[in-house]
Amino acid sequence: MNDTIAAISTALGVGAISIIRVSGEDAIKIVNQIFTGCDLTKEKSHTIHYGHIKADNDIIDEVLVTIMKAPKTFTKEDIVEINCHGGISATKKVLETVLNNGCRLAEPGEFTKRAFLNGRIDLIKAESVMNVINAENDSARKVALQGLAGYMSDKIRKIRTQMLNLLARIEVHIDYPEYDDVPEVTSKETLEEITKIKKELEELIQKSEEGEILTTGIKTAIVGRPNVGKSSILNRLLKEEKAIVTDIAGTTRDTVEGKVNIGGATLNLIDTAGIRSTEDVVEKIGVEKSLKAIEDANLVIVVLNGSEKLTKEDRQILEKTKDKNTIIVINKDDLQQQIELDEVPLKNRIYTNTKDLEGLHELEEKIQEMFHLNQLKQEDYTYLTGARQISLAKDAEKILKEAIR
């Protein structure tokens, strides 16, 4: 990390301004070589200066340059931010000039990496930076901001301190049993304290697994045999004609995807090809993708045609999804009903049709109820985020269980 890095920090495109960020030991010196307006090396930290960026005596752009001196910066290194006009050509030319004068192009996420390695932020905060950027709904944004503010780090630090204090007392008691002023550590007290810590960690893991859907979304597969209305339901939920809808069975041959916000969480919708036996090579691939989508989904919406009797494919789909989080949609309830309802599970069953949107609101409410979205919104947003954090917490939980045993 001895070199100086630079990159465009704003989205590349036409806009009012673009920002080129430079970080490293020589950041101020390098930018000063190409800046006209003042001597940046003599200016105070956290100040903004007007001037121009030049290359070979040609003015490239009119800019505002912000200098921030270590250690009170994001990376704890000297940082310079060049605010230039937002045109693609101007932005690229300013970056090119910076690189030609001694900087290296930063790798993706390298500014945050340096902040972590220099002790400015911990790993939870580093991951939260990316979570803020990638947040697809307001709840995900709030969870990420809690991590960025350090609330999750504080909670983990508290649990870790409890473990270390207990371990220290045990070791002191073993190493110096003759000292009268060392509090006695009994198995009973140790068991009670480990059990208390384990319970606190378990609650955090459970809450985080529930809250993870706020950040990653609910992977939702809409499945059923051909021509039962899957694509119509997808289109109504998305409020756009995303999937082609016809009366011809097998119209959807590949998965069609979209996103919709329900109860503060993102529903990652996958409309699958109709599941049936077929000799059509393309359709067969689509059916295989549909079966894979069922395995990977957090939620499966099984669509049945209420105006027809159950088929062999319907029964196979019900059997395939019986152990998943499933909502069964009896579609086409505006037609004469012939479906054998005694063979369809009553739990999480709703009725709908896609002509007058009947039942779609009930479907959205059922999803919120199944994943406790209203409850999650009312609680605080201090969760572990992502598989890595939750996996490590589970490793710690296993060790505590072993200690209790």
Side-chain angles (χ1 to χ4, degrees), residues 44-232:
K44 293 181 179 179
S45 180
H46 293 78
T47 54
I48 302 174
H49 308 277
Y50 168 79
H52 295 85
I53 296 294
K54 280 190 172 184
D56 300 325
N57 296 320
D58 290 332
I59 293 178
I60 295 174
D61 200 5
E62 182 182 34
V63 298
L64 289 174
V65 172
T66 304
I67 61 170
M68 295 167 277
K69 297 182 180 180
K72 294 184 178 181
T73 69
F74 178 63
T75 60
K76 297 190 80 172
E77 302 172 334
D78 286 348
I79 286 182
V80 179
E81 289 187 346
I82 304 171
N83 292 259
C84 58
H85 289 96
I88 296 174
S89 177
T91 304
K92 285 187 172 181
K93 190 63 179 176
V94 172
L95 176 62
E96 179 185 326
T97 305
V98 171
L99 296 176
N100 287 340
N101 280 270
C103 282
R104 170 175 65 79
L105 184 64
E107 298 173 0
E110 191 168 1
F111 290 99
T112 304
K113 177 183 176 181
R114 289 194 173 198
F116 167 67
L117 293 175
N118 287 328
R120 169 68 174 75
I121 56 177
D122 60 29
L123 199 51
I124 289 179
K125 290 182 182 179
E127 290 175 329
S128 296
V129 172
M130 192 55 64
N131 290 340
V132 170
I133 294 170
N134 293 330
E136 294 183 341
N137 55 63
D138 197 48
S139 298
R141 178 185 62 82
K142 289 178 180 178
V143 172
L145 286 174
Q146 290 285 74
L148 197 56
Y151 294 113
M152 192 67 253
S153 299
D154 291 343
K155 185 167 285 191
I156 292 296
R157 198 174 292 114
K158 177 188 170 188
I159 295 174
R160 177 179 170 82
T161 300
Q162 288 175 301
M163 293 180 180
L164 287 172
N165 287 342
L166 176 60
L167 184 61
R169 292 203 307 273
I170 293 171
E171 290 185 350
V172 168
H173 184 70
I174 292 171
D175 291 342
Y176 306 102
E178 69 276 11
Y179 286 5
D180 294 334
D181 57 343
V182 176
E184 184 180 2
V185 180
T186 66
S187 296
K188 182 174 180 294
E189 291 172 349
T190 304
L191 181 62
E192 288 175 356
E193 192 152 354
I194 296 176
T195 302
K196 180 182 174 184
I197 296 170
K198 182 177 75 73
K199 182 181 178 184
E200 192 174 345
L201 192 59
E202 284 175 340
E203 289 174 353
L204 177 61
I205 292 169
Q206 181 183 353
K207 185 179 170 186
S208 297
E209 287 182 325
E210 292 176 349
E212 191 180 10
I213 64 175
L214 296 177
T215 54
T216 60
I218 304 169
K219 191 180 291 186
T220 307
I222 305 175
V223 302
R225 62 182 169 84
N227 211 27
V228 292
K230 301 184 301 300
S231 297
S232 295

Side-chain angles (χ1 to χ4, degrees), residues 210 213 218 262-265 267 299 325-327 346-350 361-377:
E210 292 176 349
I213 64 175
I218 304 169
I262 291 181
L267 219 63
L299 169 65
N325 286 325
T326 305
I327 296 175
L346 182 61
K347 185 181 179 183
N348 297 327
R349 183 205 296 177
I350 66 169
H361 180 66
E362 186 183 350
L363 174 60
E364 293 180 359
E365 287 184 338
K366 185 68 71 174
I367 293 169
Q368 293 190 55
E369 175 190 322
M370 181 177 287
F371 289 92
H372 313 292
L373 296 183
N374 291 329
Q375 180 182 341
L376 289 174
K377 286 172 66 179

Side-chain angles (χ1 to χ4, degrees), residues 1 5 10 51 87 92 102 130 174 212 278 344 352 381:
M1 295 200 303
I5 58 174
T10 47
K92 285 187 172 181
M130 192 55 64
I174 292 171
E212 191 180 10
T278 176
V344 181
T352 186
Y381 289 86

Side-chain angles (χ1 to χ4, degrees), residues 294-308:
I294 292 174
E295 293 178 13
D296 296 340
N298 306 119
L299 169 65
V300 181
I301 299 175
V302 177
V303 184
L304 302 174
N305 186 346
S307 66
E308 297 177 354

